[in-house]
Amino acid sequence: MTRTTQAALSRTLILASFLATGSIAQGADPAEGRKLAAQCKTCHGLDGIAKIPIAPHLAGESQIYIEKQLKAFRSGQRVNEMMSVVAKNLTDQQISDLAAWYQSIEITAKMPE
């Protein structure tokens, strides 16, 4: 087996494990996530581009990553004065919808010449 084939197989197995454990929600709805993102827009922007310097940009970020971080804030595994309060009342479905919304935003980058 070539290194390329091994890498592809490894990625497939990782994705399959996320799906099997429910780490990626089935039926995440970006449109519902957009509605929920209204509460996020002050810091992260409805478009996912942060409005304050201490907040990260979320536009185009991986759904898996956003879900993991929101669940960590909700459980207390990760702590932030604002995010811990915001995330504690989110359901798994709401977290998945928010993550799907921010992942669905397409961003582009232009390299300087």
Side-chain angles (χ1 to χ4, degrees):
M1 190 177 311
T2 68
R3 293 182 99 184
T4 304
T5 304
Q6 288 175 332
L9 180 58
S10 178
R11 286 190 299 273
T12 302
L13 290 173
I14 290 169
L15 179 58
S17 72
F18 277 117
L19 291 171
T21 61
S23 294
I24 299 175
Q26 304 289 326
D29 185 349
E32 286 301 313
R34 182 184 178 141
K35 293 175 192 173
L36 291 166
Q39 69 181 325
C40 310
K41 70 181 178 182
T42 301
C43 298
H44 299 287
L46 183 60
D47 61 357
I49 304 300
K51 305 305 179 199
I52 62 174
I54 62 169
H57 298 306
L58 298 177
E61 189 64 73
S62 159
Q63 181 174 348
I64 295 168
Y65 176 79
I66 294 173
E67 284 186 17
K68 181 176 179 171
Q69 298 312 310
L70 285 172
K71 288 177 181 179
F73 283 123
R74 184 179 65 187
S75 73
Q77 179 183 12
R78 185 170 179 191
V79 179
N80 172 274
E81 184 178 354
M82 178 60 75
M83 287 305 303
S84 297
V85 172
V86 171
K88 83 174 172 183
N89 294 317
L90 293 174
T91 66
D92 284 347
Q93 186 63 52
Q94 289 171 323
I95 287 173
S96 294
D97 292 346
L98 277 166
W101 164 246
Y102 283 116
Q103 178 179 273
S104 74
I105 299 170
E106 292 185 26
I107 57 172
T108 58
K110 182 178 177 184
M111 298 291 290
E113 295 181 30

